[in-house]
Amino acid sequence: ITRRTDMSFHGVTLVPKGAITVGYTRKREPGHSGIRVPASLINRGNGWSRVPAPGPGDEDGLMAIASREGSDTWAVGFTTIFGEVKPLAMRWDGKSWNTDRPRVGAAVAVFTDVTIVGKGSPFAVGYRMAADGRRKPLVLRKDGPRWRSVPMAVAGNDSISLLGTASDGREGTWVVGHGGKGSKVEPRIYHRQDGKWKPHKTPKLKGEAVLTDVVATSSRESWAVGYQRRDGQAKPLVLRWNGRAWKRTKAPDFDSSDALLSAVSVDPAGGIWAVGAAWDDRRKEFEAVAAWWDGQAWNETVGRVGGTELYDATGSLAADGWAVGRSGSSGRLVRVCTPPQ
């Protein structure tokens, strides 16, 4: 476990001969709690070391990262310039980060996740604030030197936030999030294939429900995770795509009155693993949680040693698995092994 003071890590991915994580740190100033600036660390097998990440705005942060063998690595997040919040993208060329700022007309627009599609193009999702205060989907793809908007039609009175995206294992892309009419908070799943969007029906759930991440294990199976909130308590939520429909399936049980899943990742050695946070009634604080699906059941692990929250995971539990997050004001990088521990 590696701890870094005044940092919060939100994304992690494998790169040749190692792993790289992104997030933000706080630049302390007199009379201010700290301005957020991008943070990035890399591990080449001999520990984590800081990699300079440019901060083009008055306040910036990186919220997700994605890579694919044979393509560039991309990180996305937000930048604040003269009071306006704009999406931020950065490309890792193997040695350094290069800033790339897509142009979006909205005064507030944020990237929350990114995946690699086609021959290596970043496909980023998030949300933008409309004039009436509703959140609207934000989807952009980089084609050549420019970012191109990928419009997603939603009802005019819907407020939608996109939080996760991933390849579907074929030539399409999954996108998940939450929203609904007015103040409703319902799970949302969309699929893009051959240049067209298709909203997917999700199981009816009582209370509020949010999907935070999605991943495909094959061309006919995908998983989405998040949480369902009822009567003031949150429980982990897992949906599974069987090639025909999304169905609710068994979720990890962390024996907690309040728990959520933040991210899901494919284990190349088999199965999937998910990370998040759960409330500890005895200590009166959140603690990091992880769970591995072995094909038949969830294998859960809970422990304060991992921090208070985990936001992302990558790699194999049998070889090079990493989970990242934070504990208070300190960033945490956790090596997870099989069985999860």
Side-chain angles (χ1 to χ4, degrees):
I1 295 173
T2 301
R3 174 183 175 182
R4 291 300 178 98
T5 303
D6 290 336
M7 289 188 181
S8 182
F9 299 116
H10 291 260
V12 62
T13 191
L14 298 182
V15 294
K17 300 181 181 180
I20 191 166
T21 183
V22 297
Y24 58 81
T25 186
R26 290 189 179 275
K27 182 172 59 177
R28 301 296 177 180
E29 294 183 356
H32 198 287
S33 60
I35 300 297
R36 287 174 292 182
V37 296
S40 178
L41 274 66
I42 193 167
N43 189 318
R44 296 291 194 185
N46 55 355
W48 291 94
S49 58
R50 188 80 177 266
V51 177
D58 302 319
E59 188 168 23
D60 316 275
L62 297 173
M63 307 306 293
I65 187 172
S67 63
R68 193 178 69 186
E69 186 176 355
S71 68
D72 289 329
T73 297
W74 286 85
V76 299
F78 64 90
T79 181
T80 304
I81 301 175
F82 299 122
E84 293 191 342
V85 182
K86 300 291 187 179
L88 173 65
M90 292 187 187
R91 181 179 63 85
W92 172 254
D93 62 11
K95 296 181 180 180
S96 61
W97 286 106
N98 301 279
T99 302
D100 195 344
R101 289 185 297 174
R103 294 183 179 180
V104 176
V108 176
V110 176
F111 279 151
T112 56
D113 201 12
V114 62
T115 190
I116 306 298
V117 298
K119 296 181 179 180
S121 298
F123 183 94
V125 303
Y127 63 87
R128 60 179 177 82
M129 298 298 295
D132 60 7
R134 291 184 173 90
R135 292 188 176 189
K136 297 298 180 181
L138 178 67
V139 184
L140 284 87
R141 175 178 176 173
K142 189 173 178 64
D143 285 330
R146 296 185 178 183
W147 287 87
R148 178 174 59 87
S149 175
V150 184
M152 176 189 290
V154 297
N157 56 354
D158 278 3
S159 184
I160 306 293
S161 296
L162 303 179
L163 302 181
T165 183
S167 166
D168 67 356
R170 298 174 293 176
E171 297 296 327
T173 309
W174 289 112
V175 176
V176 302
H178 64 88
K181 293 180 175 59
S183 60
K184 284 188 176 181
V185 181
E186 304 169 331
R188 291 297 179 106
I189 300 178
Y190 304 91
H191 186 248
R192 184 170 175 80
Q193 184 79 40
D194 298 326
K196 297 180 180 180
W197 286 107
K198 178 182 178 181
H200 275 249
K201 185 178 180 180
T202 58
K204 290 186 178 181
L205 302 170
K206 295 182 179 180
E208 298 180 344
V210 170
L211 294 176
T212 55
D213 200 14
V214 62
V215 72
T217 56
S218 71
S219 61
R220 303 191 67 176
E221 181 186 70
S222 297
W223 298 71
V225 303
Y227 59 91
Q228 178 185 10
R229 186 174 295 279
R230 293 181 62 190
D231 302 322
Q233 296 183 337
K235 297 294 183 182
L237 174 65
V238 179
L239 303 183
R240 189 174 184 178
W241 170 254
N242 59 16
R244 299 180 302 276
W246 285 93
K247 302 288 186 180
R248 185 172 191 174
T249 189
K250 180 177 173 59
D253 183 2
F254 299 112
D255 191 25
S256 170
S257 61
D258 207 10
L260 58 86
L261 297 176
S262 303
V264 60
S265 177
V266 174
D267 186 336
I272 63 170
W273 57 306
V275 298
W279 180 254
D280 186 312
D281 289 309
R282 182 170 61 86
R283 296 189 179 98
K284 303 301 180 184
E285 64 180 1
F286 278 95
E287 57 188 359
V289 297
W292 175 57
W293 174 260
D294 60 13
Q296 297 182 335
W298 287 102
N299 303 268
E300 300 93 344
T301 180
V302 180
R304 296 181 67 240
V305 69
T308 53
E309 297 169 279
L310 291 177
Y311 297 130
D312 199 16
T314 192
S316 173
L317 295 169
D320 52 7
W322 288 98
V324 300
R326 70 178 182 88
S327 180
S329 62
S330 298
R332 292 294 180 100
L333 303 104
V334 185
R335 178 75 174 86
V336 186
C337 311
T338 302
Q341 55 182 286

